[in-house]
């Protein structure tokens, strides 16, 4: 990064530009929502990246998300911190209950009384990772919900096919099989789908 190619702001100028007080800017820095300022000698300065981050924070706040939810959406919370992710899902569920019902139905989240618990954070984070593609949290989780419903019917058919083929291909001289363990076939199917999906994505990129 060279200063000659960046628009540089003092904290006061940055505050005026984004409509935020220097105190709030520093608070976002302390919370980790905003990267520390750059340094030009002894002076702290901010560039266009800081401007974009503050504008994103303000846009999410206008949509009603609190700072904990914004941390999740911006990818600033660790996977172990499910509370903030659950709060984001809860807020989205208020705006679009159908999305929350789908996430509940597919076991990504669960209700513990009035509290939502995240059971599978990876799909949620993968959806929220589409923020760089221009999807809001609501749009990202709507896309995830639609994809879950689509894949669900396909997975049921594929599981049936895998079980049937395993029965045909097993050695007839082998001992009788143990009780059916659908998770074994599910694991095989999941890994096959993962392999094909990752290969397809890599081919599209190349």
């Amino acid at each position: 990064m060279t200063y000659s190619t960046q628009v540089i702001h003092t904290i006061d100028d940055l505050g005026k530009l984004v409509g935020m007080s220097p105190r709030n800017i520093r608070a976002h820095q302390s919370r980790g929502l905003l990267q520390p300022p750059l340094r030009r000698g002894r002076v702290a300065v901010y560039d266009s990246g800081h401007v974009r981050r503050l504008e994103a924070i303000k846009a999410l706040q206008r949509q009603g998300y609190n700072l904990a939810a914004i941390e999740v959406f911006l990818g600033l919370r660790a996977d172990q911190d499910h509370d903030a992710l659950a709060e984001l899902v809860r807020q989205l569920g208020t705006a679009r209950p159908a999305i929350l019902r789908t996430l509940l139905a597919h076991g990504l989240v669960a209700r513990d009384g009035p509290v939502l618990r995240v059971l599978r954070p990876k799909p949620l984070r993968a959806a929220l990772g589409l923020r760089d593609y221009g999807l809001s949290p609501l749009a990202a989780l709507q896309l995830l919900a639609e994809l879950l419903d689509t894949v669900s019917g396909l997975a049921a058919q594929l599981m049936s096919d895998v079980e049937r083929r395993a029965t045909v291909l097993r050695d007839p001289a082998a001992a009788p099989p143990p009780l059916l363990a659908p998770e074994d076939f599910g694991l095989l199917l999941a890994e096959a789908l993962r392999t094909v999906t990752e290969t397809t994505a890599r081919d599209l990129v190349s």
Side-chain angles (χ1 to χ4, degrees), residues 14 20 40 51 56 61 84 98 100 117 120 132 139-140 150 162 182 185 196-197 201:
L14 178 63
M20 187 178 294
R40 177 182 282 176
V51 175
Q61 286 178 317
L100 179 56
R117 291 187 299 110
R120 296 180 178 178
D132 294 335
T150 299
V162 169
F185 295 123
V196 172
T197 302

Side-chain angles (χ1 to χ4, degrees), residues 10-29 33-34 46 50-62 67 70:
T10 66
I11 192 168
D12 290 327
D13 291 339
L14 178 63
K16 292 176 183 176
L17 182 63
V18 300
M20 187 178 294
S21 70
R23 180 179 180 181
N24 281 346
I25 292 173
R26 292 190 180 97
H28 289 325
Q29 287 175 203
L33 285 168
L34 184 68
Y46 300 81
H50 294 96
V51 175
R52 288 193 297 271
R53 174 54 63 87
L54 290 174
E55 289 176 341
I57 292 170
K58 289 187 63 178
L60 289 167
Q61 286 178 317
R62 285 194 296 270
L67 293 180
I70 291 172

Side-chain angles (χ1 to χ4, degrees), residues 10-167:
T10 66
I11 192 168
D12 290 327
D13 291 339
L14 178 63
K16 292 176 183 176
L17 182 63
V18 300
M20 187 178 294
S21 70
R23 180 179 180 181
N24 281 346
I25 292 173
R26 292 190 180 97
H28 289 325
Q29 287 175 203
S30 298
R31 193 179 179 101
L33 285 168
L34 184 68
Q35 290 293 321
L38 308 171
R39 290 284 169 180
R40 177 182 282 176
R42 296 183 179 181
V43 179
V45 294
Y46 300 81
D47 65 7
S48 55
H50 294 96
V51 175
R52 288 193 297 271
R53 174 54 63 87
L54 290 174
E55 289 176 341
I57 292 170
K58 289 187 63 178
L60 289 167
Q61 286 178 317
R62 285 194 296 270
Q63 296 175 50
Y65 301 115
N66 61 25
L67 293 180
I70 291 172
E71 285 178 336
V72 171
F73 181 58
L74 296 178
L76 302 175
R77 285 291 185 98
D79 278 352
Q80 298 92 325
D81 191 352
H82 292 179
D83 291 343
L85 190 54
E87 172 63 17
L88 176 59
V89 173
R90 185 193 66 77
Q91 292 183 36
L92 289 169
T94 301
R96 196 73 63 85
I99 294 178
L100 179 56
R101 286 196 296 270
T102 300
L103 298 181
L104 287 165
H106 289 285
L108 274 67
V109 296
R111 286 195 184 277
D112 186 3
V115 178
L116 279 175
R117 291 187 299 110
V118 173
L119 302 181
R120 296 180 178 178
K122 282 187 176 181
L124 297 171
R125 289 189 176 279
L128 295 174
L130 296 177
R131 62 184 178 274
D132 294 335
Y133 195 69
L135 270 68
S136 69
L138 179 60
L141 292 190
Q142 179 177 339
L143 179 60
L144 173 61
E146 293 172 358
L147 183 59
L148 287 168
D149 283 340
T150 299
V151 172
S152 178
L154 176 62
Q157 180 60 52
L158 289 174
M159 279 285 288
S160 177
D161 292 344
V162 169
E163 181 184 343
R164 177 179 55 81
R165 287 296 295 157
T167 301

